[in-house]
Amino acid sequence: MAVTETGTRARQPDSSGYAAVDGGLRLYYEIFGSGEKTIVIMPASPISHSRLWKGQIHYLSRYFRVVAYDGRGNGMSDFPDPSTKMPARFYARDCLAVMDATGTDKAVLVGICHDGVFPALQIAASHPERVQGVFGIAPGVPHIVPPHAFRVPAIEKFHERLDSNEGWFKYNEHYWRQDYRGFLEFFFGEMFPEPHSTKQIEDAVAYGLDGSVEVMLMEDEAPSAADREEVEAILGRVRSPVLIVMGDRDNCQPTERGRKTAELVPGSKFVELAGVGHIPNARYPVLVNRMIAEFAGLPKPIRKRSRKQPRALLVSSPIGLGHAWRDVAIARELRRQVPGLEVEWLAQPPLTTLLAKCGEKVHPSSAELAPEAIHVDAMSGQHELHAFDMLRRMDEILCANFMVFHDVVTREHFDVWIADEGWEIDHFLHEHPELKTSSYVWMSDFAGYLPMPSGGEREAFLTADYNAEVLEHIARNPDLRDVSIFIGDPQDVVRHSFGPDLPFIPDWTNEHFQFAGYVLPFDPRDLADTKAIRHELGYDPDRPLVVASAGGSAVGVHLLHRVADAFQLLRRDVPDAQLLLVGGPRIDPGEFGAAPGMTVTGYVHDLSRTLACCDLAVVQGGLSTTMELVANRRPFIYVPLRNHFEQNFHVAHRLRRYGAPPPTQYDDATPERLAREMGERLGAKVGYDPVEPGGAARAAGLIAPLFDRRI
């Protein structure tokens, strides 16, 4: 059965294969990394598979060799015959089979609940030479401690047909057969009692549905396991290091079971996590990553500190190139205001192409970042990018990239961290404020996730929940952001609320942000002589010039095709018109055939100069390109991506404020309509409100005082 994916993976396996057990039943495994020490991650099967550990693999495999596998009856592994019974102690035997198949002589075993922790301890007791340590989360060791009292009635009536399936009585064979999804939604809702866990619950339910009710109902080793004395004897034979970790809100295993397990295993340690549920590896992956790495022997880094000159680390979102241009402008202004300042960038393609041409220094650890641009392209459709859903499903990549950031700032001292819509930086720092060791600046050009109408009530609920989490983060740690900069003016903030019973976005933003005005990477006065720029760039100043641009991702390719078709219609009325079709760094110019008057190119480094001298631009609804066109007083048509909340709400609101034309919706943008609009706006006079210059200097002025705190 195929694994249900809910987002692009942060890292693909270096190799994969199958281990054979019980006469040919195959267990699917994946191997990541090549460290000297191996970590084997045991699945929570059959209710889930190895993807439950997605938050750990990218990070751990940068330092260790990691083996992860799907247990029998879920994911990519074979499903056993449900008419048979599971063999005794199969979890431990399956793990050993995977270790043999992957050439793993010994390893640190990592597991959760009864599917992973007790089997790991069994292996440690019977094969001590193969276990270098056991990291156990919420151990389901049988018999040593009674289950939660609130679960006992449901456990006792599991095989009875009940009149009511409320609460834990959904833990019932007949209810499973009737509504397995309903059970999984209830169960994982209990496993993630922490607020704002919608994505973790959604993932866990999807992984559960990759299994089957029939396998779940097969008798496993737990009901017929050894009595308490034998279990205690097994635990007493363990000699490898053992760390037991449990949340104090675990609704699956009682905390006392974890304490008792640690008590019975000689020399083991127990750590209780406050406010945490049953699956902290998914809900608090940064915390668990650090704990596993330390347990497995990753040396603590020695932090290097430069006292010679101030340093800043800048994280710029790779979703679009506009962020990088404005950040380059801010970095240049910062260097003017802070003598001797060194700025290093934690960035990934396509930003690195731009930064290299700008002469900026990209930190070497940037090569370890998980690819966000690939995820964006994978989530896109025909001129469609559901931006909120794209960000939500990028959780695995964002976690991986925060760990890269955390490792960099742990090894090296930077006086100031600057994140321009670096969502992972802001989220995980607020989740773990103790990790902040330098001044921290947050920058954004919008505030608030807004639901698209197509998402209905579910999306309205999710966006409000995500907004509420951000607001709670800020309220709980009001000083974590040393400076919050809104790239714009107070009038640019959309006039919506964050959600039901949540604040009005302008009121909250005015209270929590400082406003820099819009940041342009140029002075419009330097681009006022359009004829001179045309001559410089090689365009005939006497022929109308149309420029079509799709931004930094590949999602705009469909719009460019429509513009190309519309341009041929336009030439019937304007035969001397010329079109520059800019595919950017992620669209192959070979995607387009030759056509009269049309030139196709890939990445144009200083595209703002070309846009500044055009007679018309046709672009997506991205903020940077449209605001540059407003600033340079160029006529344009903008077509926001379908279901992109930022382009359809935040950007459209700001452009209306400056007097720009309303957006053209893609569904209406037939070649015929585009040709008509192009003809109407080509070379037309505009009446935009002016864009006040100096935004980069104002933003830098808000950041520069933080360097005075330098010791």
Side-chain angles (χ1 to χ4, degrees):
M1 182 176 293
V3 173
T4 301
E5 291 289 354
T6 60
T8 308
R9 298 182 73 168
R11 174 171 179 162
Q12 296 296 327
D14 297 315
S15 62
S16 61
Y18 289 90
V21 296
D22 291 345
L25 198 70
R26 301 179 310 158
L27 303 179
Y28 176 74
Y29 65 78
E30 295 178 335
I31 303 175
F32 306 82
S34 57
E36 293 183 4
K37 183 177 286 187
T38 297
I39 294 175
V40 173
I41 298 178
M42 303 177 70
S45 64
I47 200 170
S48 190
H49 47 66
S50 58
R51 291 290 287 152
L52 191 67
W53 298 90
K54 66 180 183 178
Q56 283 65 59
I57 287 175
H58 182 279
Y59 171 67
L60 293 176
S61 61
R62 291 198 283 117
Y63 300 103
F64 304 95
R65 177 176 178 263
V66 177
V67 176
Y69 66 98
D70 296 339
R72 57 180 76 190
N74 205 313
M76 300 291 288
S77 290
D78 288 346
F79 282 48
D81 181 353
S83 66
T84 63
K85 293 183 178 181
M86 291 288 195
R89 301 189 181 183
F90 72 92
Y91 289 118
R93 293 194 295 106
D94 286 358
C95 181
L96 288 169
V98 169
M99 292 177 69
D100 291 342
T102 58
T104 305
D105 295 329
K106 55 186 177 181
V108 174
L109 306 182
V110 176
I112 187 170
C113 203
H114 77 280
D115 317 314
V117 183
F118 187 49
L121 294 171
Q122 289 175 310
I123 298 171
S126 58
H127 300 275
E129 75 285 355
R130 306 201 67 175
V131 179
Q132 294 173 289
V134 174
F135 185 96
I137 298 175
V141 176
H143 302 306
I144 60 173
V145 168
H148 281 299
F150 58 79
R151 292 192 59 186
V152 170
I155 293 172
E156 292 176 345
K157 296 179 181 293
F158 179 75
H159 296 292
E160 298 181 21
R161 189 179 295 276
L162 304 176
D163 294 331
S164 173
N165 291 115
E166 294 298 320
W168 273 101
F169 285 111
K170 291 183 179 180
Y171 192 86
N172 177 273
E173 173 185 354
H174 302 283
Y175 184 79
W176 290 9
R177 294 186 185 279
Q178 171 189 330
D179 185 4
Y180 189 48
R181 174 184 282 276
F183 161 70
L184 291 172
E185 290 173 346
F186 162 77
F187 179 76
F188 285 114
E190 291 289 309
M191 299 304 99
F192 292 102
E194 303 94 336
H196 314 299
S197 298
T198 57
K199 183 58 168 62
Q200 290 80 16
I201 295 170
E202 181 181 289
D203 284 346
V205 170
Y207 303 154
L209 291 173
D210 280 332
S212 73
V213 175
E214 288 73 20
V215 174
M216 282 286 290
L217 291 172
M218 292 176 68
E219 183 178 343
D220 63 22
E221 63 185 66
S224 59
D227 58 22
R228 176 168 179 160
E229 288 75 16
E230 184 175 349
V231 170
E232 291 183 358
I234 291 171
L235 300 183
R237 291 199 299 271
V238 175
R239 293 295 180 267
S240 60
V242 174
L243 178 62
I244 301 298
V245 176
M246 284 199 76
D248 63 1
R249 298 185 64 188
D250 192 319
N251 290 328
C252 184
Q253 303 294 339
T255 308
E256 186 55 35
R257 182 168 290 168
R259 293 184 186 278
K260 190 66 175 178
T261 300
E263 177 186 317
L264 293 171
V265 175
S268 66
K269 297 180 180 179
F270 175 81
V271 175
E272 183 175 88
L273 305 177
V276 175
H278 183 61
I279 314 179
N281 52 297
R283 186 58 182 83
Y284 297 103
V286 168
L287 173 64
V288 173
N289 287 347
R290 296 171 65 230
M291 295 180 76
I292 294 175
E294 181 179 353
F295 176 76
L298 183 66
K300 290 185 177 181
I302 300 175
R303 195 180 196 198
K304 299 177 182 178
R305 183 181 180 94
S306 172
R307 295 183 177 273
K308 294 182 180 180
Q309 54 199 77
R311 301 179 75 206
L313 183 67
L314 206 160
V315 180
S316 184
S317 170
I319 304 174
L321 296 178
H323 293 87
W325 272 117
R326 76 185 182 205
D327 293 337
V328 167
I330 293 170
R332 288 170 175 171
E333 285 291 341
L334 266 176
R335 293 189 187 100
R336 293 188 183 101
Q337 298 183 27
V338 182
L341 174 64
E342 280 190 355
V343 178
E344 292 192 46
W345 298 68
L346 199 58
Q348 55 185 286
L351 263 63
T352 47
T353 300
L354 184 154
L355 295 173
K357 289 183 176 293
C358 288
E360 296 288 336
K361 183 179 181 181
V362 176
H363 194 283
S365 292
S366 297
E368 298 177 336
L369 293 169
E372 295 183 27
I374 292 175
H375 171 76
V376 172
D377 291 347
M379 293 290 293
S380 65
Q382 186 174 29
H383 201 70
E384 180 172 23
L385 179 63
H386 197 299
F388 172 70
D389 196 46
M390 177 273 294
L391 289 169
R392 190 167 179 264
R393 293 180 185 274
M394 197 160 62
D395 55 326
E396 177 181 351
I397 290 174
L398 293 178
C399 176
N401 290 345
F402 178 82
M403 297 306 303
V404 174
F405 165 83
H406 174 63
D407 285 358
V408 169
V409 299
T410 301
R411 293 191 299 260
E412 303 177 45
H413 176 77
F414 293 89
D415 300 285
V416 179
W417 306 336
I418 305 170
D420 185 354
E421 295 185 11
W423 309 106
E424 70 277 26
I425 311 302
D426 201 62
H427 174 79
F428 288 113
L429 282 181
H430 278 93
E431 289 276 276
H432 307 286
E434 71 279 3
L435 299 183
K436 180 193 171 188
T437 56
S438 293
S439 296
Y440 167 55
V441 177
W442 169 253
M443 299 194 300
S444 180
D445 55 37
F446 77 93
Y449 299 111
L450 296 176
M452 295 301 299
S454 61
E457 293 183 2
R458 175 63 176 170
E459 186 167 327
F461 164 76
L462 289 174
T463 53
D465 183 67
Y466 272 58
N467 287 334
E469 182 177 39
V470 172
L471 269 57
E472 290 170 20
H473 277 162
I474 303 301
R476 191 163 58 243
N477 299 285
D479 299 324
L480 190 136
R481 296 177 179 175
D482 293 275
V483 178
S484 295
I485 301 174
F486 188 90
I487 305 298
D489 299 314
Q491 306 94 301
D492 296 324
V493 180
V494 294
R495 301 186 65 78
H496 290 269
S497 76
F498 285 107
D501 302 319
L502 295 175
F504 191 50
I505 296 176
D507 293 344
W508 187 90
T509 306
N510 287 340
E511 181 181 351
H512 291 88
F513 279 81
Q514 298 184 67
F515 295 85
Y518 193 71
V519 174
L520 292 167
F522 53 79
D523 187 330
R525 292 171 295 187
D526 296 336
L527 302 177
D529 190 345
T530 57
K531 284 192 175 182
I533 298 174
R534 287 270 191 103
H535 279 297
E536 174 194 331
L537 298 178
Y539 297 106
D540 187 339
D542 297 321
R543 293 179 60 193
L545 174 62
V546 179
V547 178
S549 171
S553 73
V555 67
V557 65
H558 304 285
L559 175 62
L560 292 184
H561 276 292
R562 287 198 182 180
V563 173
D565 293 340
F567 178 70
Q568 299 311 308
L569 299 176
L570 175 69
R571 279 176 59 86
R572 297 174 184 175
D573 299 322
V574 191
D576 60 341
Q578 50 189 334
L579 171 66
L580 176 65
L581 208 64
V582 182
R586 299 191 62 78
I587 297 176
D588 182 1
E591 174 88 17
F592 306 90
M598 183 176 78
T599 301
V600 184
T601 186
Y603 173 70
V604 176
H605 175 61
D606 206 354
L607 183 61
S608 58
R609 296 184 65 81
T610 304
L611 290 171
C613 69
C614 72
D615 296 293
L616 175 70
V618 185
V619 296
Q620 281 184 30
L623 179 63
S624 300
T625 302
T626 54
M627 282 298 293
E628 290 177 13
L629 290 164
V630 168
N632 288 318
R633 310 191 71 74
R634 298 291 91 194
F636 64 94
I637 299 167
Y638 66 106
V639 186
L641 293 168
R642 293 187 290 185
N643 282 318
H644 194 301
F645 77 90
E646 184 184 2
Q647 293 188 6
N648 284 277
F649 293 121
H650 295 276
V651 176
H653 166 79
R654 189 180 301 220
L655 293 177
R656 283 195 300 270
R657 206 266 283 188
Y658 279 93
T664 297
Q665 298 302 324
Y666 181 77
D667 291 340
D668 300 326
T670 62
E672 292 75 17
R673 174 169 173 175
L674 273 178
R676 185 169 62 253
E677 287 192 6
M678 290 165 70
E680 293 170 353
R681 300 187 193 181
L682 186 64
K685 291 185 177 180
V686 299
Y688 311 139
D689 288 345
V691 179
E692 184 179 358
R698 287 190 294 274
L702 294 171
I703 300 170
L706 297 177
F707 291 94
D708 294 338
R709 305 178 185 179
R710 186 168 178 262
I711 301 174

